[in-house]
Amino acid sequence: MDYIAQLEEKAKLANQAARVMAVLSTTEKNNALYAMAKALEEKQGFIINENKKDLANGKEKGLSTALLDRLMLDEARIQAMAEGLRQTAALPDPIGEGISSTRRPNGLEIQKVRVPLGVIGIIYEARPNVTVDAAGLCLKSGNAVILRGGSEAIQSNMAIVKVIGETMEKSGLPKGALGFIDTTDRKVVNAMLKLNQYLDVIIPRGGAGLIKTVVENSSVPVIETGTGVCHTYVDETADFTMAMNIALNAKVSRPAVCNAMETLLVHQAIASDFLPTMLEQFIEVGVEIRGCSETQKYHSAVIAATEEDWQAEYGDLILAIKVVENIDEAIEHIAKYNTKHSETIVTKDYDMARKFQQEVDAAAVYVNASTRFTDGFEFGFGAEIGISTQKLHARGPMGLPELTSIKYLISGSGQIR
Amino acid sequence: MDYIAQLEEKAKLANQAARVMAVLSTTEKNNALYAMAKALEEKQGFIINENKKDLANGKEKGLSTALLDRLMLDEARIQAMAEGLRQTAALPDPIGEGISSTRRPNGLEIQKVRVPLGVIGIIYEARPNVTVDAAGLCLKSGNAVILRGGSEAIQSNMAIVKVIGETMEKSGLPKGALGFIDTTDRKVVNAMLKLNQYLDVIIPRGGAGLIKTVVENSSVPVIETGTGVCHTYVDETADFTMAMNIALNAKVSRPAVCNAMETLLVHQAIASDFLPTMLEQFIEVGVEIRGCSETQKYHSAVIAATEEDWQAEYGDLILAIKVVENIDEAIEHIAKYNTKHSETIVTKDYDMARKFQQEVDAAAVYVNASTRFTDGFEFGFGAEIGISTQKLHARGPMGLPELTSIKYLISGSGQIR
C-alpha cells in the first residue's frame, strides 16, 4: 500500500475512533493518560536508543548544536513528558460541560454543550515532546489525532508513538485514536491537507514556512499558530528601569520563541534619555541592533534598519529599534508589521495604557509587562497545544477548551414549526 | 483599474476601516443602523426600480418562477429589511463583553474580552435581503465587510449598497466599512479567497457548489454554512401521531431550506404499523418517496432508493426512507450520510433519547421535535448570519457573538519572566 493510501486508511480509522473517543468517560481517559505516562518511563531505554539514531542522522546532516539539543532525549526529558501526561490527567475534562441552556416560548429546551472537535491533524517540527503533549491533550479533550512530525525526529517519534499507542489500546481506547504518519514524504502532508472527509481541523506547529504551506494549501480548517513579530513600546511617561527590564526580558530571556520581542518602539520625547543606556544594556549581552536613523545617533554599533527589519521574526539576539513621534505612530507601526501575537506598552499614563489595549489588534496586549508571558501555563491553562495568531475559533494560547466544539441538544414534546 | 486591483483596494480600505469599527461605541453603531433603515424606506422607489432590471434580466435568462420570486423586491420586503436593521440595533452589543478575568500569582491581571473578527467576506447567492442583513450584523459586531452577491441580483444589490453605504458614511462610519464587489466575474471570487492579508474570515452562503468552491480554494479561514442532509429517526417506542407530525413538518413546511428533512429512518419493529399511514400522508401532499426494499412493500408509489438518495439534499418535495434494524443502525446511517446539521429522534424511551443526543454528531440534535427549528431566531439569538456545519469557531445558527473573536488584555506592574 502506498503512503497516500496508508494516510487515508489512518484518517478513516481516526474518524471512526473519534466517535468512540467523544463518549469516553473522564475516568477512562485519565486511566489511559496515567498508563501512558508509566509506559514512557518503563520503555525509556527503547526510546532513548531510537532517539540516538535521529541524533546520529542529524549530526551527519549537519544540524546545528541548538537543533541537536532540542532533538535529544534523556531520562530527565522522558520523565518530563510522563509528568506532562499526569498533569493533563489532572486537568478538568472540558467535554460535556454545559455552556448555556434556555427554554424557548414553545417549550423547547436548548442546551449548548461542549463536544470534541473530532479528528485533529497536527503537523509539527523538531522536538519529540510535542508528540506526547499533543497525543495527551487530544485524548483528554476526546479527540482522535493524526500526527505528522518532522523528519529529524522520525525514529524518536515512531518509538514514542509505539509505546503510548500500544498503551492506549491496552487501556481500551479505540484503534486509530492516535495515528502517526511514519514517512517524511512531503506529498503525504499535501494529501493530509485535503482530507476534509475525515479531518476536522489541522494545527501546524513550527516555522513560518511550514505554517504558510499549511494555510495556503489546506482545505481542512486550519488554526494558524506561532509566528510572532512582537513589539515593546516605551511611552513618554514610562518608568525607565521598568521599561529596560521588560525590554531586556522580552528580547533576551529566550530569543527563539514566538513571544519574544523583535522590535522596540521608543517615544521621541524620551529617546535621548532612554536609548543610550538601553542600547548599552542590549549590546552588553550581545544583542545586535538595527535602528532607525534617530536610534543610530545614540550608539555607533547600531546598524541602519531596512524595511525587512520591521517585518523580521529574528528568533535570535537581533533587535530592530524605531523612535516614533507618539503613541499613534507606534500603533500604526504595530498594525502594519505585527503578526497579531503579543504587544506591550510601558507607560504611567492611564489614557495611553487604555488606548494601546483598545486599538492594538493582537491576541495579547500588555501594559507594563513582558510579552514573554503569552503562554498557556503562564495564563493558568495548565497546558498548551500552541498559540493561535488567527481570530477564528481560538486566539492566543490554546488549552483544552480550544480543542473542543459545541453541540446543541434540543429536547421537545412534539414541537413543529 | 481592473477588477482584481479594485478588489484589493476595497479589501485594503476595509482592513483600515475595521480598526475604526472595532472601537466604535454601541450608540454610534445603533445610530447608523437606524439611519440605514430610514434610508432604505426613503429610497425604496430607487431600489425597486433597480430590482426591476434584475427581474427583467432574470426572465430573459429563463430563471424559474421560484427564483424570480426570491429575487423580487417590493415595499413590504424593503420594509422588512429596514425592520431587520432596527432589530439588530436593539440586540445587545457583543463587543467589549468581558468573558473572564483572572489574577495570576505574579500579580498579572488577565482579562479575556470580546473583539470583532476584523474584515468578514461574505459570498452569497440570490436574495438581495442578505445584503442588508449581512451589512447590519457585521456593523453591529464591529466588523468591516466585503460582500459579493450573485449575478442575478447585481442591480438590486448595488442599489441597496449605494443607499446604506452612503448612509453609513454620513453617520460617521469609516469609508470602506461596507465593500461591495460590483462585478460577477468569477476570477474576482478566486482572488478574494486568497486575500489573507486583509480578510479575517470568509462566509459562503448558498448552494453546495458555491460552498465547495470556497472551502476547497480559500486560504482565508472559512466558516462553512448551510448544506443540510437532515434525518428524522422514528424509534420503536415513538408516539405515531407525534412522529408523523414531526416528519411531515420537517419535510414539507419549507422543503428548500437546509434544516428540512431529507431522509426518514424507521425502526423495523414498527415499520409495518407506521409506514402505511405515514406514506399515505406524504404522498397525499405531493412528496415523492424513494425507499429501501422494506419501505417499498408498504406503498406501490415508492421508488427504489439508490446510494445517491442517501446522500441527497433534495431541497424539494422528495424524501428518502429507510427501515433500520435498531437505533445503532440509525446512528450509523446518520454518521455516514449526514452533513452534521440537524438530526432528530422521535421516541418515548429515555435511554434511546440520551444515546441519540450523545452519539449523533451534528450541530443540533433533537428529541421529539422537528429539525426545522435550527435557526437563529428560533434559538432566540434575534439574528442569524447563517448556519455553520463545521466544528471550528461556530457551530449551528450564528448570531452576533459568532461574528466576534477574543483578545487578552494583560495589566501588570513591571512583571518579567
Side-chain angles (χ1 to χ4, degrees), chain A residues 231-284:
Chain A
H231 300 75
T232 299
Y233 167 57
V234 182
D235 193 31
E236 196 176 359
T237 62
D239 177 290
F240 281 11
T241 309
M242 185 192 286
M244 287 178 202
N245 285 341
I246 287 173
L248 270 173
N249 180 262
K251 180 71 252 179
V252 308
S253 61
R254 218 172 142 196
V257 294
C258 58
N259 57 21
M261 166 173 68
E262 305 297 350
T263 301
L264 176 69
L265 302 170
V266 179
H267 193 290
Q268 60 169 0
I270 54 160
S272 62
D273 290 333
F274 178 77
L275 274 177
T277 319
M278 182 83 257
L279 289 171
E280 276 302 337
Q281 293 190 6
F282 276 125
I283 289 161
E284 198 175 303

CSV table of all heavy atoms in Angstrom, one decimal, chain A residues 231-284:
chain,number,residue,atom,x,y,z
A,231,HIS,N,6.1,43.6,19.6
A,231,HIS,CA,6.7,44.9,19.9
A,231,HIS,C,6.6,45.3,21.3
A,231,HIS,O,5.7,44.9,22.0
A,231,HIS,CB,6.0,46.0,19.0
A,231,HIS,CG,6.0,45.8,17.6
A,231,HIS,ND1,5.3,44.8,17.0
A,231,HIS,CD2,6.7,46.4,16.6
A,231,HIS,CE1,5.5,44.8,15.6
A,231,HIS,NE2,6.4,45.8,15.4
A,232,THR,N,7.6,46.0,21.8
A,232,THR,CA,7.5,46.7,23.1
A,232,THR,C,7.5,48.2,22.8
A,232,THR,O,8.5,48.7,22.1
A,232,THR,CB,8.7,46.4,24.0
A,232,THR,OG1,8.7,44.9,24.2
A,232,THR,CG2,8.6,47.1,25.3
A,233,TYR,N,6.5,48.9,23.2
A,233,TYR,CA,6.5,50.4,23.0
A,233,TYR,C,6.8,51.1,24.3
A,233,TYR,O,6.0,50.9,25.3
A,233,TYR,CB,5.2,50.8,22.4
A,233,TYR,CG,4.9,52.3,22.5
A,233,TYR,CD1,5.9,53.2,21.9
A,233,TYR,CD2,3.8,52.9,23.1
A,233,TYR,CE1,5.7,54.6,21.9
A,233,TYR,CE2,3.7,54.2,23.2
A,233,TYR,CZ,4.6,55.1,22.6
A,233,TYR,OH,4.4,56.4,22.7
A,234,VAL,N,7.8,51.9,24.4
A,234,VAL,CA,8.2,52.6,25.6
A,234,VAL,C,7.6,54.0,25.4
A,234,VAL,O,8.1,54.8,24.6
A,234,VAL,CB,9.7,52.6,25.8
A,234,VAL,CG1,10.0,53.4,27.1
A,234,VAL,CG2,10.2,51.2,25.9
A,235,ASP,N,6.6,54.3,26.2
A,235,ASP,CA,5.9,55.6,26.1
A,235,ASP,C,6.6,56.7,26.8
A,235,ASP,O,7.5,56.4,27.6
A,235,ASP,CB,4.4,55.4,26.7
A,235,ASP,CG,3.5,56.5,26.3
A,235,ASP,OD1,3.7,57.1,25.2
A,235,ASP,OD2,2.6,56.8,27.1
A,236,GLU,N,6.2,57.9,26.5
A,236,GLU,CA,6.8,59.1,27.1
A,236,GLU,C,6.9,59.1,28.6
A,236,GLU,O,7.9,59.5,29.2
A,236,GLU,CB,5.9,60.3,26.7
A,236,GLU,CG,6.5,61.7,26.8
A,236,GLU,CD,5.6,62.7,26.3
A,236,GLU,OE1,4.5,62.4,25.8
A,236,GLU,OE2,5.9,63.9,26.3
A,237,THR,N,5.9,58.5,29.2
A,237,THR,CA,5.9,58.6,30.7
A,237,THR,C,6.4,57.3,31.4
A,237,THR,O,6.3,57.1,32.6
A,237,THR,CB,4.4,58.8,31.2
A,237,THR,OG1,3.7,57.6,30.8
A,237,THR,CG2,3.8,60.0,30.7
A,238,ALA,N,7.0,56.4,30.6
A,238,ALA,CA,7.5,55.1,31.1
A,238,ALA,C,8.5,55.3,32.3
A,238,ALA,O,9.3,56.2,32.2
A,238,ALA,CB,8.0,54.3,30.0
A,239,ASP,N,8.4,54.4,33.2
A,239,ASP,CA,9.5,54.3,34.2
A,239,ASP,C,10.7,53.6,33.5
A,239,ASP,O,10.5,52.5,33.0
A,239,ASP,CB,9.0,53.4,35.4
A,239,ASP,CG,10.0,53.1,36.4
A,239,ASP,OD1,11.0,52.4,36.1
A,239,ASP,OD2,9.9,53.6,37.5
A,240,PHE,N,11.8,54.3,33.5
A,240,PHE,CA,12.9,53.8,32.6
A,240,PHE,C,13.4,52.4,33.1
A,240,PHE,O,13.7,51.5,32.3
A,240,PHE,CB,14.1,54.8,32.6
A,240,PHE,CG,13.9,56.0,31.7
A,240,PHE,CD1,12.6,56.2,31.1
A,240,PHE,CD2,14.9,56.8,31.4
A,240,PHE,CE1,12.4,57.3,30.3
A,240,PHE,CE2,14.7,57.9,30.6
A,240,PHE,CZ,13.5,58.1,30.0
A,241,THR,N,13.5,52.2,34.4
A,241,THR,CA,14.0,51.0,34.9
A,241,THR,C,13.1,49.8,34.5
A,241,THR,O,13.5,48.8,34.0
A,241,THR,CB,14.2,51.0,36.4
A,241,THR,OG1,14.9,52.2,36.8
A,241,THR,CG2,14.9,49.8,36.9
A,242,MET,N,11.8,50.1,34.7
A,242,MET,CA,10.8,49.1,34.3
A,242,MET,C,10.9,48.8,32.8
A,242,MET,O,10.9,47.6,32.4
A,242,MET,CB,9.4,49.5,34.7
A,242,MET,CG,8.3,48.5,34.4
A,242,MET,SD,6.6,49.1,34.5
A,242,MET,CE,6.5,49.3,36.3
A,243,ALA,N,11.0,49.8,32.0
A,243,ALA,CA,11.0,49.7,30.6
A,243,ALA,C,12.2,48.9,30.2
A,243,ALA,O,12.1,48.0,29.3
A,243,ALA,CB,11.0,51.0,29.9
A,244,MET,N,13.3,49.2,30.8
A,244,MET,CA,14.6,48.4,30.4
A,244,MET,C,14.5,47.0,30.8
A,244,MET,O,14.9,46.1,30.0
A,244,MET,CB,15.8,49.1,31.0
A,244,MET,CG,16.1,50.4,30.3
A,244,MET,SD,17.5,51.3,31.0
A,244,MET,CE,17.2,53.0,30.5
A,245,ASN,N,14.0,46.7,32.0
A,245,ASN,CA,13.8,45.3,32.4
A,245,ASN,C,12.9,44.5,31.5
A,245,ASN,O,13.2,43.4,31.1
A,245,ASN,CB,13.2,45.3,33.9
A,245,ASN,CG,14.3,45.7,34.9
A,245,ASN,OD1,15.5,45.6,34.6
A,245,ASN,ND2,13.8,46.0,36.1
A,246,ILE,N,11.8,45.2,31.2
A,246,ILE,CA,10.8,44.5,30.3
A,246,ILE,C,11.4,44.3,28.9
A,246,ILE,O,11.3,43.1,28.4
A,246,ILE,CB,9.5,45.3,30.2
A,246,ILE,CG1,8.7,45.2,31.6
A,246,ILE,CG2,8.6,44.9,29.1
A,246,ILE,CD1,7.5,46.0,31.7
A,247,ALA,N,12.0,45.3,28.4
A,247,ALA,CA,12.6,45.1,27.0
A,247,ALA,C,13.7,44.1,27.0
A,247,ALA,O,13.7,43.2,26.1
A,247,ALA,CB,13.1,46.5,26.5
A,248,LEU,N,14.5,44.1,28.0
A,248,LEU,CA,15.6,43.1,28.0
A,248,LEU,C,15.0,41.7,28.2
A,248,LEU,O,15.4,40.8,27.5
A,248,LEU,CB,16.5,43.3,29.2
A,248,LEU,CG,17.7,44.3,29.0
A,248,LEU,CD1,18.4,44.5,30.3
A,248,LEU,CD2,18.7,43.6,28.0
A,249,ASN,N,14.1,41.5,29.1
A,249,ASN,CA,13.4,40.2,29.3
A,249,ASN,C,12.8,39.8,28.0
A,249,ASN,O,12.9,38.6,27.6
A,249,ASN,CB,12.4,40.3,30.4
A,249,ASN,CG,11.7,39.0,30.7
A,249,ASN,OD1,10.6,38.8,30.2
A,249,ASN,ND2,12.4,38.1,31.4
A,250,ALA,N,12.0,40.7,27.3
A,250,ALA,CA,11.3,40.3,26.1
A,250,ALA,C,12.2,39.9,25.0
A,250,ALA,O,11.9,39.0,24.2
A,250,ALA,CB,10.4,41.4,25.7
A,251,LYS,N,13.4,40.5,25.0
A,251,LYS,CA,14.3,40.1,23.9
A,251,LYS,C,15.2,39.0,24.2
A,251,LYS,O,15.4,38.0,23.4
A,251,LYS,CB,15.2,41.3,23.5
A,251,LYS,CG,16.2,41.1,22.4
A,251,LYS,CD,15.6,41.0,21.1
A,251,LYS,CE,15.6,39.6,20.5
A,251,LYS,NZ,14.9,39.5,19.2
A,252,VAL,N,15.8,39.0,25.4
A,252,VAL,CA,16.9,38.0,25.6
A,252,VAL,C,16.6,36.8,26.4
A,252,VAL,O,17.4,35.8,26.4
A,252,VAL,CB,18.2,38.7,26.2
A,252,VAL,CG1,18.6,39.9,25.4
A,252,VAL,CG2,18.0,39.1,27.7
A,253,SER,N,15.5,36.7,27.2
A,253,SER,CA,15.3,35.6,28.0
A,253,SER,C,15.2,34.3,27.3
A,253,SER,O,15.6,33.2,27.7
A,253,SER,CB,14.1,35.8,29.0
A,253,SER,OG,12.9,35.9,28.2
A,254,ARG,N,14.6,34.4,26.1
A,254,ARG,CA,14.5,33.2,25.2
A,254,ARG,C,14.2,33.7,23.8
A,254,ARG,O,13.1,33.6,23.3
A,254,ARG,CB,13.4,32.2,25.7
A,254,ARG,CG,13.8,30.8,25.5
A,254,ARG,CD,12.9,29.9,26.2
A,254,ARG,NE,12.7,28.7,25.4
A,254,ARG,CZ,11.7,27.8,25.5
A,254,ARG,NH1,10.8,28.0,26.4
A,254,ARG,NH2,11.7,26.7,24.7
A,255,PRO,N,15.2,34.1,23.1
A,255,PRO,CA,15.0,34.8,21.8
A,255,PRO,C,14.4,34.0,20.7
A,255,PRO,O,13.8,34.5,19.8
A,255,PRO,CB,16.4,35.3,21.4
A,255,PRO,CG,17.4,34.5,22.2
A,255,PRO,CD,16.7,34.1,23.5
A,256,ALA,N,14.4,32.7,20.8
A,256,ALA,CA,14.0,31.8,19.7
A,256,ALA,C,12.4,31.6,19.8
A,256,ALA,O,11.9,31.1,18.8
A,256,ALA,CB,14.6,30.5,19.8
A,257,VAL,N,11.8,32.0,20.8
A,257,VAL,CA,10.3,31.7,20.9
A,257,VAL,C,9.5,32.8,20.4
A,257,VAL,O,9.9,33.9,20.2
A,257,VAL,CB,9.9,31.4,22.4
A,257,VAL,CG1,10.6,30.1,22.9
A,257,VAL,CG2,10.3,32.6,23.3
A,258,CYS,N,8.2,32.5,20.1
A,258,CYS,CA,7.4,33.4,19.3
A,258,CYS,C,6.9,34.6,20.1
A,258,CYS,O,6.5,35.6,19.6
A,258,CYS,CB,6.2,32.6,18.8
A,258,CYS,SG,5.1,31.8,20.0
A,259,ASN,N,7.0,34.5,21.5
A,259,ASN,CA,6.5,35.7,22.3
A,259,ASN,C,7.7,36.6,22.6
A,259,ASN,O,7.5,37.5,23.4
A,259,ASN,CB,5.7,35.2,23.5
A,259,ASN,CG,6.5,34.3,24.4
A,259,ASN,OD1,7.7,34.3,24.3
A,259,ASN,ND2,5.8,33.5,25.2
A,260,ALA,N,8.8,36.4,22.1
A,260,ALA,CA,10.0,37.3,22.3
A,260,ALA,C,9.8,38.5,21.5
A,260,ALA,O,9.2,38.5,20.4
A,260,ALA,CB,11.3,36.6,21.9
A,261,MET,N,10.4,39.7,21.9
A,261,MET,CA,10.3,40.9,21.2
A,261,MET,C,11.2,40.9,20.0
A,261,MET,O,12.3,40.4,20.1
A,261,MET,CB,10.7,42.1,22.1
A,261,MET,CG,10.9,43.4,21.4
A,261,MET,SD,11.2,44.8,22.5
A,261,MET,CE,12.8,44.3,23.3
A,262,GLU,N,10.7,41.5,18.9
A,262,GLU,CA,11.5,41.7,17.7
A,262,GLU,C,11.8,43.1,17.4
A,262,GLU,O,12.8,43.5,16.8
A,262,GLU,CB,10.8,41.0,16.5
A,262,GLU,CG,10.5,39.6,16.7
A,262,GLU,CD,11.6,38.6,16.9
A,262,GLU,OE1,12.8,39.1,16.7
A,262,GLU,OE2,11.4,37.4,17.2
A,263,THR,N,10.9,44.0,17.8
A,263,THR,CA,11.1,45.5,17.6
A,263,THR,C,10.7,46.3,18.8
A,263,THR,O,9.7,46.0,19.5
A,263,THR,CB,10.2,45.9,16.4
A,263,THR,OG1,10.5,45.2,15.2
A,263,THR,CG2,10.4,47.4,16.1
A,264,LEU,N,11.6,47.2,19.1
A,264,LEU,CA,11.4,48.1,20.3
A,264,LEU,C,11.0,49.5,19.7
A,264,LEU,O,11.7,50.0,18.8
A,264,LEU,CB,12.7,48.2,21.1
A,264,LEU,CG,12.7,49.2,22.3
A,264,LEU,CD1,11.8,48.8,23.4
A,264,LEU,CD2,14.1,49.4,22.8
A,265,LEU,N,9.9,50.1,20.1
A,265,LEU,CA,9.5,51.4,19.7
A,265,LEU,C,9.6,52.3,20.9
A,265,LEU,O,9.3,52.0,22.0
A,265,LEU,CB,8.0,51.3,19.2
A,265,LEU,CG,7.7,50.3,18.1
A,265,LEU,CD1,6.2,50.2,17.9
A,265,LEU,CD2,8.4,50.8,16.8
A,266,VAL,N,10.2,53.5,20.6
A,266,VAL,CA,10.5,54.4,21.7
A,266,VAL,C,9.9,55.8,21.4
A,266,VAL,O,10.1,56.3,20.3
A,266,VAL,CB,12.0,54.6,22.0
A,266,VAL,CG1,12.3,55.5,23.1
A,266,VAL,CG2,12.6,53.2,22.3
A,267,HIS,N,9.2,56.4,22.3
A,267,HIS,CA,8.7,57.8,22.1
A,267,HIS,C,9.8,58.8,22.0
A,267,HIS,O,10.8,58.7,22.7
A,267,HIS,CB,7.8,58.1,23.3
A,267,HIS,CG,6.9,59.3,23.1
A,267,HIS,ND1,7.5,60.6,23.0
A,267,HIS,CD2,5.6,59.5,22.9
A,267,HIS,CE1,6.5,61.5,22.8
A,267,HIS,NE2,5.3,60.8,22.7
A,268,GLN,N,9.7,59.6,21.0
A,268,GLN,CA,10.8,60.6,20.6
A,268,GLN,C,11.2,61.5,21.8
A,268,GLN,O,12.4,61.8,22.0
A,268,GLN,CB,10.4,61.4,19.4
A,268,GLN,CG,9.2,62.3,19.7
A,268,GLN,CD,8.9,63.3,18.6
A,268,GLN,OE1,9.7,63.4,17.6
A,268,GLN,NE2,7.9,64.1,18.7
A,269,ALA,N,10.2,61.8,22.7
A,269,ALA,CA,10.5,62.8,23.7
A,269,ALA,C,11.5,62.2,24.8
A,269,ALA,O,12.1,63.0,25.5
A,269,ALA,CB,9.2,63.1,24.4
A,270,ILE,N,11.6,60.9,24.8
A,270,ILE,CA,12.5,60.3,25.8
A,270,ILE,C,13.7,59.6,25.2
A,270,ILE,O,14.5,59.1,25.9
A,270,ILE,CB,11.8,59.3,26.7
A,270,ILE,CG1,11.1,58.2,25.9
A,270,ILE,CG2,10.8,60.0,27.7
A,270,ILE,CD1,10.7,57.0,26.6
A,271,ALA,N,13.7,59.6,23.8
A,271,ALA,CA,14.7,58.8,23.1
A,271,ALA,C,16.1,59.1,23.6
A,271,ALA,O,17.0,58.3,23.9
A,271,ALA,CB,14.6,59.0,21.6
A,272,SER,N,16.4,60.4,23.7
A,272,SER,CA,17.8,60.8,24.0
A,272,SER,C,18.2,60.5,25.5
A,272,SER,O,19.4,60.3,25.8
A,272,SER,CB,18.0,62.3,23.8
A,272,SER,OG,17.2,63.1,24.6
A,273,ASP,N,17.2,60.4,26.4
A,273,ASP,CA,17.5,60.0,27.7
A,273,ASP,C,17.5,58.5,27.9
A,273,ASP,O,18.3,57.9,28.6
A,273,ASP,CB,16.4,60.6,28.7
A,273,ASP,CG,16.5,62.1,28.8
A,273,ASP,OD1,17.7,62.6,28.7
A,273,ASP,OD2,15.5,62.7,29.1
A,274,PHE,N,16.6,57.8,27.2
A,274,PHE,CA,16.4,56.4,27.4
A,274,PHE,C,17.3,55.5,26.6
A,274,PHE,O,17.9,54.5,27.1
A,274,PHE,CB,14.9,56.0,27.0
A,274,PHE,CG,14.5,54.6,27.1
A,274,PHE,CD1,14.3,54.0,28.4
A,274,PHE,CD2,14.4,53.8,26.0
A,274,PHE,CE1,13.9,52.7,28.5
A,274,PHE,CE2,14.1,52.4,26.1
A,274,PHE,CZ,13.8,51.9,27.4
A,275,LEU,N,17.5,55.9,25.3
A,275,LEU,CA,18.2,54.9,24.4
A,275,LEU,C,19.6,54.7,24.7
A,275,LEU,O,20.1,53.5,24.6
A,275,LEU,CB,18.0,55.4,23.0
A,275,LEU,CG,16.7,54.8,22.3
A,275,LEU,CD1,16.5,55.4,20.9
A,275,LEU,CD2,16.7,53.3,22.3
A,276,PRO,N,20.4,55.7,25.1
A,276,PRO,CA,21.9,55.4,25.3
A,276,PRO,C,22.1,54.3,26.3
A,276,PRO,O,22.8,53.3,26.0
A,276,PRO,CB,22.4,56.7,25.9
A,276,PRO,CG,21.5,57.8,25.2
A,276,PRO,CD,20.1,57.2,25.2
A,277,THR,N,21.4,54.3,27.5
A,277,THR,CA,21.6,53.3,28.5
A,277,THR,C,21.0,51.9,28.0
A,277,THR,O,21.5,50.9,28.1
A,277,THR,CB,20.9,53.7,29.8
A,277,THR,OG1,21.1,55.0,30.1
A,277,THR,CG2,21.4,52.8,31.0
A,278,MET,N,19.8,52.0,27.4
A,278,MET,CA,19.1,50.8,26.9
A,278,MET,C,20.0,50.1,25.8
A,278,MET,O,20.2,48.9,25.9
A,278,MET,CB,17.8,51.2,26.2
A,278,MET,CG,16.9,50.1,25.7
A,278,MET,SD,15.9,49.2,26.9
A,278,MET,CE,16.8,47.7,27.2
A,279,LEU,N,20.6,50.9,24.9
A,279,LEU,CA,21.4,50.3,23.9
A,279,LEU,C,22.6,49.6,24.5
A,279,LEU,O,23.0,48.5,24.1
A,279,LEU,CB,21.9,51.4,22.9
A,279,LEU,CG,20.7,51.9,22.0
A,279,LEU,CD1,21.2,53.1,21.2
A,279,LEU,CD2,20.3,50.8,21.0
A,280,GLU,N,23.2,50.3,25.5
A,280,GLU,CA,24.4,49.7,26.2
A,280,GLU,C,24.0,48.4,26.8
A,280,GLU,O,24.8,47.4,26.6
A,280,GLU,CB,24.8,50.6,27.4
A,280,GLU,CG,25.8,51.8,27.0
A,280,GLU,CD,27.1,51.3,26.3
A,280,GLU,OE1,27.5,50.1,26.5
A,280,GLU,OE2,27.6,52.1,25.5
A,281,GLN,N,22.9,48.3,27.4
A,281,GLN,CA,22.5,47.1,28.0
A,281,GLN,C,22.3,45.9,27.0
A,281,GLN,O,22.7,44.8,27.2
A,281,GLN,CB,21.1,47.3,28.8
A,281,GLN,CG,21.3,48.2,30.0
A,281,GLN,CD,20.1,48.2,30.9
A,281,GLN,OE1,19.1,47.4,30.7
A,281,GLN,NE2,20.0,49.0,31.9
A,282,PHE,N,21.6,46.3,25.9
A,282,PHE,CA,21.5,45.2,24.9
A,282,PHE,C,22.8,44.8,24.3
A,282,PHE,O,23.0,43.6,24.1
A,282,PHE,CB,20.6,45.8,23.7
A,282,PHE,CG,19.1,45.7,24.0
A,282,PHE,CD1,18.3,46.8,23.9
A,282,PHE,CD2,18.5,44.4,24.3
A,282,PHE,CE1,16.9,46.7,24.2
A,282,PHE,CE2,17.2,44.3,24.6
A,282,PHE,CZ,16.4,45.4,24.5
A,283,ILE,N,23.6,45.8,24.0
A,283,ILE,CA,24.9,45.4,23.3
A,283,ILE,C,25.8,44.6,24.3
A,283,ILE,O,26.5,43.7,23.8
A,283,ILE,CB,25.6,46.7,22.8
A,283,ILE,CG1,24.8,47.2,21.6
A,283,ILE,CG2,27.0,46.5,22.4
A,283,ILE,CD1,25.0,48.7,21.3
A,284,GLU,N,25.7,44.9,25.5
A,284,GLU,CA,26.5,44.2,26.5
A,284,GLU,C,26.2,42.7,26.6
A,284,GLU,O,27.1,41.9,26.8
A,284,GLU,CB,26.2,44.8,27.9
A,284,GLU,CG,27.2,44.5,29.0
A,284,GLU,CD,26.8,45.3,30.3
A,284,GLU,OE1,26.8,46.6,30.2
A,284,GLU,OE2,26.6,44.7,31.3
